Amino acid sequence: MAVSQQLTRLVRQRARGRCEYCCLPEAYSSIGFEIDHIVAEQHGGRSIPGNLAWACFADNHHKGPNLAGIDPRTGRRAWLFHPRRHKWERHFRWKGAVLVGRTPIGRATIAVLQINAPHRIAQRAALIAEGVFHRD
Ligand SMILES: [Zn+2]
């Protein structure tokens, strides 16, 4: 089901124009951003503010309907990051332009969403150098 314009605006403003997974600023992205159903509609996730996030195309595309992934450190299953229920700082930290998972949730999310794909690290590094990618 399509998300209304009004709801899209709310989700976008709440995220302050940044991807809620990888922090990419929308203004400096060439690929566009999308509404992410955190729990996919396929799994009964609804189009309500508590189940929606603002995500870059790459993250939304790689996430698809996944709810969980594998923590590459332990090989065990872990839930994906839930931007409405989890605190970003608890699960992720920056090491330069590379996103590091602090928890199984963080590491599984980075793996499934391919947040550290080489071209994405290169893009972040360029934006950091320009002073327009904020890692706070
Ligand atoms: Zn992203």
Side-chain angles (χ1 to χ4, degrees):
M1 201 176 71
V3 175
S4 73
Q5 246 177 25
Q6 189 184 13
L7 193 49
T8 300
R9 197 159 47 237
L10 179 151
V11 171
R12 183 184 203 171
Q13 284 173 355
R14 184 176 60 187
R16 293 190 218 98
R18 296 201 309 186
C19 174
E20 297 193 69
Y21 294 94
C22 75
C23 303
L24 182 70
E26 187 183 5
Y28 298 96
S29 161
S30 54
I31 52 173
F33 275 46
E34 297 177 329
I35 288 271
D36 165 48
H37 282 78
I38 300 167
V39 174
E41 293 176 286
Q42 189 177 336
H43 302 303
R46 294 162 61 198
S47 295
I48 55 171
N51 188 47
L52 299 175
W54 196 234
C56 70
F57 177 81
D59 282 336
N60 199 35
H61 171 79
H62 290 301
K63 181 168 171 277
N66 290 300
L67 300 173
I70 301 294
D71 175 359
R73 185 175 295 178
T74 62
R76 293 205 173 138
R77 185 187 58 74
W79 294 113
L80 296 183
F81 178 67
H82 189 305
R84 300 280 76 78
R85 291 185 189 156
H86 299 144
K87 209 169 154 49
W88 193 93
E89 298 78 12
R90 174 167 155 57
H91 297 284
F92 304 103
R93 67 181 172 83
W94 290 109
K95 190 175 176 189
V98 175
L99 191 60
V100 177
R102 310 170 76 121
T103 62
I105 285 175
R107 291 187 293 269
T109 301
I110 289 167
V112 171
L113 275 54
Q114 300 185 26
I115 290 176
N116 287 327
H119 69 281
R120 296 181 67 185
I121 292 175
Q123 180 192 29
R124 278 197 293 273
L127 294 176
I128 290 166
E130 280 179 51
V132 294
F133 190 100
H134 302 291
R135 292 162 292 167
D136 49 7

